[in-house]
Amino acid sequence: MKTLKLAFIIGAISLTALSASAETFRWASKTDPQTMDPHAVNSAPVLSFLNNIYEGLVRRNKGMSIEGSLAQSWAPLNGENGWRFNLRQGVTFQNGSTFNSEDVLFSYERASSEVADVRSWFAPVKEVRAVDDYTIDFITNAPNPLFPDSIANFMILDKDWAEANGAELPARDAENFATMNVNGTGPFTLASRDPGIKTVLVSNSNWWGKVEHNITSAVFTPIGNSATGLAALLSGEIDFIQPIPLQDVGQVESRDGFKVLEGEETRVIMFGFGHEHEKLLYSSDVTGANPFQDVRVRQAAAHAIDIASIDRVLFRGKIDGASQLVPAGISGYSETNSSRPAYDPERSKALLSEAGYPNGFSFGLKCPNDRYINDEALCRAAASMFAAVGLKAELNTVPVREYWPQLRKDAFDMYLLGWSPGTFDIEHPIRFLMSTPNSEKKLGSWNFGGYSNQRVDELLPDIQQEIDPVARQTMVDEVVGITQAEVAYIPLYTQPLIWAAKENVNLTQRADNFFMLRWVTVD
């Protein structure tokens, strides 16, 4: 993480002196958080929103470094592998109950359970011990220098509150009390929740932290249609929106009283394959087989993508083509594997012929239409590029609320995914996207297509433990080389950050695209 390039590190746009006046702040985004449960869904819209309500042992500051939150300090254990966290005293949950190590132990057990979507965060952990009310030890299977960074989004629930309301376990694909109700320790708490319509937060007057905002209430409205969202901003209905369409940047900048905030996210957009599928699910001309299990077909798909045209037509020159699952500047980025497959449609056709598909074939391409910038337009453009070489994509786009359940049910032949490494280290996508899915070891939980390589699996524990940066990078380079050669995924580009706000709104744009109300002031 320490090697993060300046463009990512300096995410703070502005933060002016705190206004004395209290304000109601209204903002919008394309995606409604799927749940209020911090352990149910491991997705950025959920974790970003809930970081305003719940808190973890550590958190990320404006520059993306970790700092203490509910833990005041932490250090490696002596005599065994793991970390000791010394907890902050005097903190209360929003219902008034006292925070202590029992809540951390309970939250660990809940977040690492079979039904938790975030359980891969705890793959290196073999035991957690509450030493006393304000000291807790995380025992790891081996030395793990990345562990504090890896739990920056691990949020703490009140044990008594969860047990009293039957929410001892998260409910990812269903609902329980924690789906619609909250009790965190953070700077804001939930006033009302109408999923898909409106969610209202109010300031937590008993928050332990230093108040840097002047927001008394914050009204969030999901607006899936970009034109509608922009109209809401320009009419004054809302104060801030993330993101806005790239083609509308000039319109916003030309209007008095508004501003555009631009940056580069750490999220790489990619296509994934159904590696373990024995047959295509959505093909009209291939039965009983899955051509994408042949690496030549996956290579053909990669060479069919014209990133330069996508950049020019859809992103107005604001994206960088990606060669791997993290962008340059992230810790572990493989400089020795920085080249991405060249756009070469003739090479694609030759590879398809070699694989036994000289006329190509049809397949199902599944994409969200309200999750990533221009996601549906991107998939339409890619489908056209695939068709030019004989890969006839039957495109199916759905709202993100339906998208993740369909991916978890393997309802795709190829799919779109965006990934931002929560630890700002390449180990994160190796663990979540490249490791063979293994529920017992909590690995590969977002590896929907079931990509599997024994050598990658062997190297992951060594990468997690290695302290020597040169030795570690050598192993990372090997993993990236393997996954590129096998076209485990097709990395496309690093997603830009394009936000817009009224001129009198001061906020911080972080490189992980998380929006923090505690840094918002309205002049």
Side-chain angles (χ1 to χ4, degrees), residues 480-510:
V480 175
I482 290 170
T483 53
Q484 284 182 335
E486 295 190 337
V487 197
Y489 295 86
I490 303 177
L492 298 172
Y493 55 83
T494 304
Q495 179 163 268
L497 286 174
I498 309 290
W499 298 0
K502 291 180 179 175
E503 191 66 43
N504 65 336
V505 173
N506 308 292
L507 49 83
T508 294
Q509 186 179 54
R510 273 192 356 189

Side-chain angles (χ1 to χ4, degrees), residues 27 49 189-194 198-202 217-220:
W27 92 103
F49 194 91
T189 189
L190 187 66
S192 65
R193 168 78 171 151
D194 191 354
K198 183 173 71 174
T199 301
V200 180
L201 304 183
V202 294
S217 67
V219 181
F220 172 76

Side-chain angles (χ1 to χ4, degrees), residues 443-465:
L443 297 173
S445 57
W446 280 65
N447 180 0
F448 297 115
Y451 170 74
S452 179
N453 181 285
Q454 183 178 350
R455 182 60 178 159
V456 172
D457 293 344
E458 290 172 352
L459 286 170
L460 175 60
D462 295 334
I463 290 170
Q464 291 172 325
Q465 299 168 32

Side-chain angles (χ1 to χ4, degrees), residues 1 3 13 22 28 34 125 186 194 202 222 236 252 285 290 315 322 326 353 355 372 376 410 416 429 454 457 522:
M1 202 281 288
T3 62
I13 295 300
Q34 189 174 334
V125 177
D194 191 354
V202 294
V252 176
D285 48 20
N290 177 9
F315 290 94
V326 296
S353 292
Y372 311 116
E376 182 169 356
D410 288 340
L416 186 73
Q454 183 178 350
D457 293 344
V522 180

Side-chain angles (χ1 to χ4, degrees), residues 112 114 119 436-444:
S112 62
E114 284 281 342
R119 64 193 305 264
T436 302
N438 185 315
S439 178
E440 183 179 350
K441 294 183 178 180
K442 305 169 187 173
L443 297 173

Side-chain angles (χ1 to χ4, degrees), residues 30 50 123 165 189 251 268 270 277 360 498 502:
K30 293 181 69 174
L50 294 184
N165 291 292
T189 189
Q251 182 185 175
V268 167
M270 67 194 78
H277 296 182
I498 309 290
K502 291 180 179 175

Side-chain angles (χ1 to χ4, degrees), residues 168-205:
E168 294 92 338
L169 293 173
R172 186 182 64 190
D173 300 321
E175 290 190 0
N176 64 18
F177 190 77
T179 306
M180 292 286 288
N181 300 276
V182 306
N183 186 29
T185 61
F188 289 84
T189 189
L190 187 66
S192 65
R193 168 78 171 151
D194 191 354
I197 306 298
K198 183 173 71 174
T199 301
V200 180
L201 304 183
V202 294
S203 177
N204 174 14
S205 59

Side-chain angles (χ1 to χ4, degrees), residues 211-509:
V211 176
E212 297 182 63
H213 66 84
N214 65 344
I215 305 301
T216 51
S217 67
V219 181
F220 172 76
T221 306
I223 304 178
N225 183 287
S226 297
T228 303
L230 183 61
L233 175 71
L234 297 179
S235 70
E237 184 180 342
I238 59 174
D239 302 300
F240 164 69
I241 187 169
Q242 62 171 153
I244 62 167
L246 294 167
Q247 63 269 24
D248 294 327
V249 167
Q251 182 185 175
V252 176
E253 290 179 331
S254 67
R255 297 282 292 268
D256 289 339
F258 299 92
K259 60 186 175 185
V260 174
L261 314 173
E262 293 191 41
E264 191 174 28
E265 195 177 356
T266 52
R267 183 176 307 280
V268 167
I269 305 296
M270 67 194 78
F271 283 125
F273 302 96
H275 290 274
E276 63 180 355
H277 296 182
E278 292 302 318
K279 59 183 180 181
L280 293 180
L281 300 178
Y282 304 98
S283 179
S284 59
D285 48 20
V286 175
T287 57
N290 177 9
F292 289 122
Q293 290 187 330
D294 188 323
V295 67
R296 294 170 295 185
V297 175
R298 301 196 298 274
Q299 290 170 337
H303 284 295
I305 298 295
D306 182 357
I307 284 293
S309 292
I310 290 173
D311 184 26
R312 184 178 64 256
V313 176
L314 296 182
F315 290 94
R316 310 290 172 110
K318 295 184 182 296
I319 63 171
D320 293 323
S323 61
Q324 47 205 280
L325 304 193
V326 296
I330 290 291
S331 176
Y333 175 82
S334 178
E335 296 287 351
T336 60
N337 295 285
S338 60
S339 298
R340 66 183 317 280
Y343 170 55
D344 189 344
E346 295 307 314
R347 177 67 175 147
S348 295
K349 294 174 184 175
L351 285 163
L352 288 174
S353 292
E354 290 177 23
Y357 299 95
N359 299 315
F361 59 89
S362 65
F363 66 98
L365 173 61
K366 186 149 291 183
C367 296
N369 55 25
D370 59 357
R371 175 63 188 92
Y372 311 116
I373 295 175
N374 286 340
D375 44 13
E376 182 169 356
L378 163 68
C379 286
R380 293 193 183 283
S384 176
M385 294 171 184
F386 287 145
V389 302
L391 294 169
K392 299 176 276 290
E394 299 294 333
L395 179 61
N396 181 11
T397 65
V398 297
V400 72
R401 178 173 286 272
E402 302 171 25
Y403 191 60
W404 303 131
Q406 291 187 20
L407 293 192
R408 292 190 180 99
K409 292 177 180 176
D410 288 340
F412 59 86
D413 294 325
M414 184 188 293
Y415 62 94
L416 186 73
L417 182 66
W419 193 260
S420 179
T423 56
F424 281 60
D425 187 280
I426 199 170
E427 179 272 346
H428 195 265
I430 296 174
R431 175 162 37 113
F432 280 88
L433 306 183
M434 302 181 197
S435 295
T436 302
N438 185 315
S439 178
E440 183 179 350
K441 294 183 178 180
K442 305 169 187 173
L443 297 173
S445 57
W446 280 65
N447 180 0
F448 297 115
Y451 170 74
S452 179
N453 181 285
Q454 183 178 350
R455 182 60 178 159
V456 172
D457 293 344
E458 290 172 352
L459 286 170
L460 175 60
D462 295 334
I463 290 170
Q464 291 172 325
Q465 299 168 32
E466 183 58 63
I467 297 175
D468 181 347
V470 175
R472 185 176 192 269
Q473 191 62 51
T474 299
M475 293 187 286
V476 168
D477 289 346
E478 183 178 351
V479 168
V480 175
I482 290 170
T483 53
Q484 284 182 335
E486 295 190 337
V487 197
Y489 295 86
I490 303 177
L492 298 172
Y493 55 83
T494 304
Q495 179 163 268
L497 286 174
I498 309 290
W499 298 0
K502 291 180 179 175
E503 191 66 43
N504 65 336
V505 173
N506 308 292
L507 49 83
T508 294
Q509 186 179 54

